[in-house]
Amino acid sequence: MKILFYTDSFRLGGKERQLVELLKGLKRSKDVELLVVCMDRGEFFEPDAKKLNVDLRFLPRKMRWDRFVIVHLYNIFAEFRPDVVHTNSLMTSAYALPLTKIFRIPLINGSIRNAFENSGMRWRVERALLRWSDYRVANSQAGLRSRGFSVNSGKDFVIYNGIDPERTASCSDAPALSGLKGPHIIGMAAEFRKDKDYFTFIRTALRVLEARRDVTFLTIGDGPTWEECKRLVPKECDRILFLGRRRDVEMIVGTFSVGVLATFTEGIPNFIMECMAMGKAVVVSDGGGSRELVLNGKTGFLVPPKDPLVLAEKIEFLLDNPDIARGMGQAGRERIEKHFSLGRMIDQTLELYGHVLNGSTGSRRPASSLERVTTGECKKSEGERTAPDG
């Protein structure tokens, strides 16, 4: 089957990392011919994508709505004649949708990567594009519900993010990090932006450091709120370090005692998957799809958003109870291997493509792995059907 994947770019981000992982797995399939079209350049993961030797083309825009891009994209459709078009963002879906109608090619819209609910214009446009798409795939049950869709439709699916065990298996060497003080490292990796709550993480760090001096807190990433967050840290404090962008995140995670993600809502957070895959206990804000990944009290803790007191209490509990922390880390690793592996994500994506090409209607569902439940611990409202696992 010929799959055209249309994406924004390969810049730094969880969506982009997952795309590289997906392409890596699909490239191994003899049944798939891939063409990847990028709307813009993205220097961070672009080298990783090029190493895969997939057919990779760039159609950079000169303006937000560039008619020349539409013309070039039309020509690519006509040349490649894809069986399926798969997008992963609002903008790529907007550009691809009319062309898929012209060429009568099914469109899989994969833009649901979080669980936000609001009434803003961008959100309403995204929902409209999702409704007009032939199929929708989200990376969390919470994300699918947030856009008003249900897995009962036969057109809407959940495929969880997957992580390649080779990424963590090759991270035995600790990176050279200066400024570490004490035996414990607590870290958070995310882009510095409004929906990632670094403010609570830093306030939590300051609270913990008032009581103990055996820990260093690390932030990994950059972005619009980076400078504002740095200003929260007193000049005399040398135990909260801002590492900026890093390509060796997995190796840094290997040094952690606890992985933390303070946020407002998520799909399936890649950073927490990496922590769990490396056997680290985690503390995560409870919201969106985080509870589909983290089993509270078993693989880590879920805490209320914007609550540095509770976040600090859970971190200190894990530091003071290393046996419990190790047990949670082991349980987390097993959960990733069973339910959030790269192989599982690839198998279910291939099954989705087969379902689309078979012309299934809303009265039918794909069988096998897309039909099984992985999150039995999650409570379902009365009458709600559990989403397909993955």
Side-chain angles (χ1 to χ4, degrees), residues 83-127:
D83 297 306
V84 175
V85 173
H86 193 162
T87 61
N88 67 353
S89 71
L90 182 154
M91 289 302 297
T92 55
S93 300
Y95 271 83
L97 182 62
L99 295 179
T100 59
K101 301 303 181 185
I102 293 171
F103 285 90
R104 297 184 179 180
I105 302 168
L107 173 63
I108 300 175
N109 188 325
S111 65
I112 305 175
R113 312 297 298 181
N114 57 51
F116 287 125
E117 295 183 41
N118 61 51
S119 57
M121 178 58 70
R122 181 180 176 86
W123 193 77
R124 292 200 298 271
V125 169
E126 184 197 36
R127 285 195 63 195

Side-chain angles (χ1 to χ4, degrees), residues 138-354:
N139 70 345
S140 70
Q141 300 175 41
L144 195 65
R145 289 194 298 268
S146 73
R147 302 317 197 273
F149 298 103
S150 167
V151 293
N152 292 320
S153 69
K155 299 287 187 178
D156 303 288
F157 302 90
V158 174
I159 298 179
Y160 288 136
N161 292 347
I163 188 167
D164 188 348
E166 294 179 2
R167 277 171 47 195
T168 56
S170 60
C171 295
S172 56
D173 296 332
L177 298 174
S178 60
L180 300 181
K181 294 179 172 62
H184 296 299
I185 299 175
I186 311 297
M188 172 170 163
E191 187 176 356
F192 279 79
R193 60 180 196 241
K194 294 296 184 182
D195 58 303
K196 306 293 184 181
D197 192 11
Y198 267 114
F199 299 103
T200 292
F201 177 76
I202 293 169
R203 292 185 179 107
T204 298
L206 292 172
R207 181 179 293 272
V208 172
L209 292 172
E210 287 178 358
R212 56 198 306 156
R213 307 297 291 173
D214 61 346
V215 59
T216 300
F217 286 82
L218 301 181
T219 74
I220 307 171
D222 62 6
T225 64
W226 193 75
E227 289 292 345
E228 187 178 358
C229 288
K230 286 193 72 175
R231 288 195 291 270
L232 293 177
V233 181
K235 291 182 179 180
E236 63 273 13
C237 178
D238 59 355
R239 292 175 179 266
I240 302 176
L241 306 182
F242 292 77
L243 301 186
R245 288 189 180 191
R246 300 286 297 229
R247 295 193 64 86
D248 55 351
V249 174
E250 290 91 351
M251 287 191 286
I252 297 174
V253 168
T255 69
F256 286 0
S257 298
V258 180
V260 174
L261 182 62
T263 185
F264 296 108
T265 185
E266 288 289 324
I268 297 295
N270 289 287
F271 167 63
I272 294 302
M273 287 175 57
E274 292 167 354
C275 291
M276 293 170 64
M278 297 194 72
K280 306 299 179 180
V282 296
V283 186
V284 182
S285 299
D286 187 6
S290 294
R291 65 180 60 182
E292 298 170 44
L293 174 62
V294 178
L295 303 183
N296 190 36
K298 296 180 180 179
T299 64
F301 292 114
L302 295 170
V303 299
K306 298 180 67 174
D307 195 332
L309 177 60
V310 176
L311 183 54
E313 287 175 351
K314 296 303 184 184
I315 291 172
E316 292 199 76
F317 175 85
L318 292 171
L319 295 180
D320 293 335
N321 296 273
D323 290 340
I324 293 176
R326 279 192 293 271
M328 286 184 169
Q330 178 60 33
R333 180 188 289 116
E334 292 171 357
R335 180 161 175 77
I336 293 295
E337 291 171 352
K338 185 175 182 180
H339 299 303
F340 297 88
S341 69
L342 176 62
R344 196 173 184 85
M345 180 179 74
I346 298 306
D347 288 345
Q348 292 177 340
T349 301
L350 289 171
E351 190 169 0
L352 174 59
Y353 291 158

Side-chain angles (χ1 to χ4, degrees), residues 2-21:
K2 301 173 75 172
I3 309 298
L4 189 153
F5 210 108
Y6 191 27
T7 187
D8 285 337
S9 72
F10 286 100
R11 70 181 186 87
L12 175 62
K15 176 181 70 177
E16 292 76 14
R17 164 55 69 86
Q18 279 299 307
L19 177 55
V20 171
E21 296 289 272

